[in-house]
Amino acid sequence: MLDRTPANTLPHAPGVGYKPQHYNAIMADPGPVRWLEVHAENYMGAGGRPIAQLRHLAERFPVSVHGVGLSIGGEGRLDPDHLARLRHLCDWLQPASFSEHLAWSTHDSAFLNDLLPLPYTDATLTRVADHIDELQEAIARRMLLENPSSYLAFAESTLEETDFLAEISRRTGCGLLLDVNNVFVSATNLGFSPQGYIDAFPLDRVGEIHLAGHDTDEDDHGRPLLIDSHGREVDEPVWALLDYTLTRSGPRATLIEWDNDVPDWPALAAEATRAATALTKVPA
C-alpha cells in the first residue's frame, strides 16, 4: 500500500526520475521506488495535466526538484525571472530537496542547451558561491550542488574538483549531490581513479546519489570516451563504484536517471530494485 503521508525528507532508498508516461504504473505499483525527481523547468507553468499529476504524486511520494537551466557557473547574474518561477514551484510543491549543476549554459542573452564545464580557480569559486547564496535566498531553502561529467580539463585550474566542491559547500552551507556515473565518466575521460575521487569527496555533505547510463565512444586518438547520455541502463562498473561509495558514506537517497530512450516502467523499476539491493548491503 502507498504511504499517503507527505514527507519533506528523502528516504535512504531508491528513487527514479519521473516521466509522465509512467504515471499510471507508478500510481498502481511503484515497486521499490520510494521517491521521485522532476526537472524544475518542466513544471514552471500555471496549470494543466503535468501540474495536476505532480500534485497527486507529491501526496504519495517525497519529491526532489532538479534544476537544469540556472547556469550557476555562468559569468552573468542569475535570471531573476527564472528564480521567481523556481520560488513559486518550490512554494507550492514543498519538495524534499532541490539541486542544480556545477556548470554554465548562458552567455550574455544566449542560452546554450548544454551543461558546460568550469575552470576550478579562486575567481570561479567566488562567482559560484555568490550565485548559490543568491539562489538559496531566493528559494528560501538549502540546495544540493551536483558534480559534473567532464570531457576536458582546464590548464588554468588550481583546485581539484573535490576540493572546489568542498569549499563551495563550506562557504555557502549548500549540500552536495554525488553523481556516481559522472565520476566514472570523468575518471575514464580524464584518466584518474574513480575510487580516489570518492575517497577525496566530502561524503558527509551528500544529500543524494545519482546513477545513470552512459554511451561509449573513442576520441581522436582511439582512447575510450564516455558520454553521459542518460539513455540506457546503469553500467556494471558504475554499480561497483556505487558499492564502493556506499561502504564509505552509508546509505543515501539513490536515484536512477533515464532521460533519453525512456523504457517501459518494468525496466526502470528493475534498475531501482538493483539500487535497493545495493543499499541493503550497508548498515544504516
Side-chain angles (χ1 to χ4, degrees), residues 14-37:
V16 296
Y18 169 67
K19 297 295 180 286
Q21 60 264 45
H22 295 149
Y23 176 79
N24 289 333
I26 291 172
M27 295 296 282
D29 181 8
V33 172
R34 296 274 306 282
W35 60 282
L36 303 171
E37 179 195 86

Side-chain angles (χ1 to χ4, degrees), residues 256-284:
I256 302 295
E257 294 183 285
W258 200 323
D259 297 319
N260 300 301
D261 298 323
V262 177
D264 292 339
W265 175 248
L268 189 56
E271 292 288 277
T273 296
R274 187 157 182 185
T277 299
L279 287 163
T280 62
K281 296 177 184 177
V282 294

Side-chain angles (χ1 to χ4, degrees), residues 24 29 53 56-57 80 102 111 117 151 178-179 187 223 237 269 273 277:
N24 289 333
D29 181 8
Q53 289 183 340
H56 284 298
L57 291 166
L102 178 59
F111 180 80
Y151 308 94
L178 176 57
D179 191 311
R223 294 177 298 221
T273 296
T277 299

Side-chain angles (χ1 to χ4, degrees), residues 81-203:
D81 291 335
H82 192 111
L83 286 176
R85 293 193 298 272
L86 183 58
R87 172 62 184 262
H88 175 72
L89 172 61
C90 290
D91 281 350
W92 72 257
L93 180 59
Q94 290 297 305
S97 178
F98 175 79
S99 56
E100 249 285 0
H101 298 83
L102 178 59
W104 63 278
S105 55
T106 54
H107 180 68
D108 294 331
S109 60
F111 180 80
L112 308 172
N113 191 27
D114 208 343
L115 297 169
L116 299 168
L118 297 163
Y120 298 133
T121 66
D122 288 337
T124 307
L125 196 153
T126 297
R127 181 171 73 249
V128 172
D130 287 346
H131 284 168
I132 289 175
D133 284 340
E134 181 183 4
L135 168 61
Q136 292 185 138
E137 183 174 353
I139 65 175
R141 64 187 60 237
R142 181 174 181 255
M143 70 158 290
L144 306 179
L145 184 64
E146 179 180 350
N147 60 296
S149 54
S150 297
Y151 308 94
L152 55 84
F154 288 90
E156 61 263 45
S157 289
T158 57
L159 297 165
E160 295 294 330
E161 184 172 284
T162 50
D163 294 334
F164 187 94
L165 286 162
E167 180 61 15
I168 287 288
S169 181
R170 187 193 70 80
R171 289 193 189 187
T172 67
C174 78
L176 299 175
L177 190 165
L178 176 57
D179 191 311
V180 174
N181 184 64
N182 286 359
V183 174
F184 186 78
V185 166
S186 297
T188 301
N189 292 341
L190 302 183
F192 62 81
S193 164
Q195 293 82 8
Y197 183 101
I198 296 299
D199 290 342
F201 202 87
L203 295 173

